[in-house]
DNA sequence: ATGGGGGTTCCAGCCACAGGAAGGTCAAGG
DNA sequence: CCTTGACCTTCCTGTGGCTGGAACCCCCAT
């Protein structure tokens, strides 16, 4: 399979697949003409990576998770620890975003949104008077 | 005021302040020795920028908001539109993150986290079998 | 004179790719 | 046989919003 087919099958852009090879996440074979040739195991790894990325894991986490996935003697505790740390970061981000949304929401509600210059949003950003 | 004092007063790193000058958000004066000299209006702008950034506005949004802030004949509708668009992006991000958190949370709960290799998290990433 | 704590510029790096140029390869159709 | 067009290749640049560091200058106190 060439990269285009793999892109179709995995949903990952060809650019991304090339990038994953460059950073040694996958190692597809090469045909005589220089084209990458992907085996089923490569595609399987790419799907793994796609799902892990969709859950927001960093590339380095993905690398570790992939290694654990292929290590039959792994301890699930290692996987769980990585996942929990990541969950913590997600929660932190969510609460940051919620704080922003709350503040911003109040300001927006307070703003007339007409053609006059008076604006609580700018007043707040400018230091509340 | 030199950049160090301004950094202390605004809470912004000196590096960031220099960067904001580089991208023309502020234009501090220069002393004979080449040091930046900040006026109160520069500090006011920096505080504005700090608060806008803390609400998650992009630099380009900040630039626009600052221009509106200084435009006495602005229409608050313009400000509100920018804020609402930004709010939309925040909400989108929050819901992405919540989806991630939910999936990840379930997987973590299902994982024993001991020294055995069996792991629902990896099973899911690997394609659920 | 020297030491230390400011300041300056410029360059590299971060993350995870995306866009695009310049060129090689392959199968189908005329 | 030649062309066309869809692939593929590598390489370089850019993204956002800074951050770190090198190499150097400036000023004040000892």
């Amino acid at each position: 399979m060439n990269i285009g087919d793999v892109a179709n099958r995995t949903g990952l852009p060809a650019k991304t697949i090339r990038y994953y090879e460059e950073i040694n996440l996958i190692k597809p074979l090469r045909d005589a003409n220089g084209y990458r040739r992907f085996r089923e195991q490569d595609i399987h790894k790419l799907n793994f990576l796609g799902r892990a990325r969709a859950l927001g894991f960093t590339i380095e986490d993905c690398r570790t998770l992939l290694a654990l996935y292929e290590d039959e003697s792994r301890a699930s505790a290692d996987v769980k620890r990585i996942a929990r740390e990541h969950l913590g970061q997600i929660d932190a981000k969510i609460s940051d975003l919620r704080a922003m949304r709350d503040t911003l929401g109040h300001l927006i509600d307070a703003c007339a949104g007409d053609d006059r210059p008076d604006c609580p949003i700018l007043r707040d950003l400018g230091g509340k008077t």
Side-chain angles (χ1 to χ4, degrees), chain A:
Chain A
M1 281 229 288
N2 286 344
I3 200 167
D5 305 317
V6 176
N8 282 337
R9 271 192 53 186
T10 61
L12 297 172
K15 283 269 184 190
T16 298
I17 298 172
R18 290 194 194 98
Y19 174 66
Y20 287 172
E21 182 192 19
E22 193 189 325
I23 61 173
N24 299 311
L25 283 174
I26 53 167
K27 298 192 205 301
L29 303 174
R30 293 288 181 146
D31 282 340
N33 57 16
Y35 287 19
R36 288 168 184 81
R37 187 159 55 81
F38 295 83
R39 293 155 292 178
E40 281 303 317
Q41 56 166 286
D42 297 317
I43 291 159
H44 194 77
K45 277 194 197 185
L46 286 169
N47 280 324
F48 183 100
L49 291 168
R51 280 186 286 260
R53 291 288 298 133
L55 285 180
F57 286 105
T58 66
I59 289 283
E60 285 317 304
D61 277 349
C62 289
R63 192 188 301 280
T64 308
L65 290 171
L66 197 49
L68 286 168
Y69 184 60
E70 303 199 310
D71 176 7
E72 309 255 322
S73 72
R74 70 188 163 249
S76 68
D78 291 336
V79 181
K80 190 167 183 173
R81 186 179 36 73
I82 293 172
R84 264 203 304 234
E85 268 175 41
H86 179 46
L87 185 64
Q89 307 224 344
I90 290 176
D91 282 338
K93 252 184 212 167
I94 289 176
S95 79
D96 284 359
L97 287 171
R98 269 210 291 245
M100 287 181 196
R101 186 188 55 180
D102 288 352
T103 304
L104 201 52
H106 292 320
L107 291 172
I108 288 172
D109 288 347
C111 176
D114 55 21
D115 54 358
R116 289 170 301 169
D118 184 46
C119 176
I121 301 170
L122 292 181
R123 207 157 37 232
D124 183 88
L125 292 174
K128 295 224 175 203
T129 335

